[in-house]
Amino acid sequence: MIHLEDELNKLKDSLTEMSYQVMSQLQKSGEALQGFDKELAQEVIRNERRVNALELKIDKECEVICSLMAPVAKDMRFVFATLKINNNLERIADYAENISLVVMGLDHAYDQALLDQLRLAEMQKTALSMMADVITGYDTDNSETARGVFMADLTLNEIHKAAKPLIAEQCRKDPDNIMSYLDLWSVVRRLERIGDHLTNIAEEIIFYLDATVLKHEGKGPEKKEV
C-alpha cells in the first residue's frame, strides 16, 4: 500500500535534486561567460534536457498525489508549493541555457574590465547565494532562511538598473559591436529575472510552511493569512 507520507518524501527528494541540478546549471553558465569557456557552455546546453525531464517527473508526482491521495491542509500546501517551485526552477534553468547560448555565439571574450564594471560576477554570486538559501529553506523546512532572498534580490535590482546606461555608453563608443553588447545586456536582464524567480520560490516555501501568502502583498510586514 502506498502511503501519503512516503510519496511526499519522494516528491521532496525529487525537487531537491532538481534544485541542485539547476544551481549547477546557473553556476556553470556564469563560469562559461566569465572564462569564455565554450565547452562548459555546451555542457549547460546539453544538460537542459535532463532538467526538463526532472520537471516533467515532478509534475507527474504532484499529479499522482493530488488525484489519488487527496492531501489536505499543510500536505496540500506542500504539493501546490512544490509544483510552483518546480516551474520557477525550470525557468531559471532556461535562463542559464540562454546565457550559455550567448557564450556560444561570441567570437571573442568580453573585456574583463567591462564585466567588472557591470558587476556581473557579483550578480552571479548573489543569485547563487539566493539559490542556496531557497534550497536550504525547502529542504529543512525553514521559512526564515527562505526569507533571506528578499533583501539579496535588491542587490540584483540595483546592479541591473546601473547596467543599462553603462551598456548604452559602450554601444555609443563601439557601434561596430552593438549586437555583442546587446547580448551582454540580455545576460544582465536574465540574471535579474533569475532573482525574481528565486523570490517566487521563497514565497512558495513561506506559503507551505507558514500558511502565509506574500504574493501581490510585497515582502514586508503586510501579509495575508490563509
Side-chain angles (χ1 to χ4, degrees):
M1 181 178 180
I2 300 176
H3 295 286
L4 175 59
E5 184 177 354
D6 293 336
E7 291 303 301
L8 293 174
N9 287 335
K10 185 172 76 172
L11 177 60
K12 190 170 191 175
D13 289 343
S14 296
L15 198 281
T16 300
E17 179 187 358
M18 172 78 157
S19 299
Y20 280 113
Q21 180 68 27
V22 172
M23 188 175 186
S24 175
Q25 291 285 90
L26 178 57
Q27 180 174 356
K28 288 177 180 177
S29 65
E31 291 175 356
L33 181 71
Q34 292 283 340
F36 189 49
D37 188 336
K38 291 196 174 189
E39 185 174 331
L40 189 58
Q42 188 60 46
E43 180 182 332
V44 173
I45 295 166
R46 285 197 308 269
N47 284 343
E48 174 66 10
R49 284 181 292 181
R50 183 180 177 189
V51 173
N52 291 339
L54 280 170
E55 183 204 15
L56 294 175
K57 175 176 178 284
I58 292 167
D59 280 352
K60 184 64 176 178
E61 289 177 1
C62 291
E63 179 185 340
V64 168
I65 291 172
C66 287
S67 60
L68 300 182
M69 299 182 179
V72 296
K74 189 175 182 179
D75 291 338
M76 180 181 66
R77 295 200 307 272
F78 170 75
V79 176
F80 286 170
T82 298
L83 187 63
K84 291 183 180 181
I85 291 169
N86 186 41
N87 179 259
N88 279 281
L89 287 172
E90 193 276 334
R91 292 299 299 132
I92 292 170
D94 283 348
Y95 287 131
E97 181 189 27
N98 294 152
I99 292 170
S100 296
L101 288 169
V102 167
V103 176
M104 294 301 296
L106 293 175
D107 294 326
H108 52 79
Y110 286 113
D111 179 66
Q112 188 59 51
L114 175 59
L115 297 183
D116 292 343
Q117 190 178 20
L118 292 170
R119 299 164 64 189
L120 271 185
E122 184 180 351
M123 285 194 91
Q124 176 80 7
K125 182 179 179 181
T126 301
L128 287 170
S129 176
M130 293 169 68
M131 187 91 193
D133 281 346
V134 295
I135 291 174
T136 300
Y138 179 86
D139 199 40
T140 64
D141 294 340
N142 189 326
S143 60
E144 287 307 309
T145 300
R147 287 178 187 274
V149 307
F150 298 135
M151 288 300 295
D153 188 48
L154 298 178
T155 298
L156 294 183
N157 294 340
E158 174 207 338
I159 297 172
H160 169 257
K161 183 178 180 180
K164 190 172 185 178
L166 294 175
I167 292 287
E169 177 62 22
Q170 199 66 32
C171 289
R172 284 191 290 269
K173 288 166 51 179
D174 186 13
D176 291 340
N177 290 301
I178 282 180
M179 292 307 300
S180 177
Y181 298 130
L182 291 179
D183 283 340
L184 188 55
W185 168 243
S186 76
V187 171
V188 176
R189 284 283 296 123
R190 282 162 179 145
L191 286 170
E192 188 271 338
R193 288 295 295 131
I194 285 170
D196 292 341
H197 284 288
L198 288 167
T199 61
N200 290 345
I201 292 172
E203 289 174 354
E204 294 304 329
I205 293 170
I206 293 165
F207 164 71
Y208 149 54
L209 293 171
D210 300 343
T212 302
V213 176
L214 296 184
K215 190 174 184 180
H216 305 311
E217 297 291 326
K219 281 76 175 181
E222 296 297 324
K223 307 167 190 174
K224 187 197 306 181
E225 298 296 330
V226 295

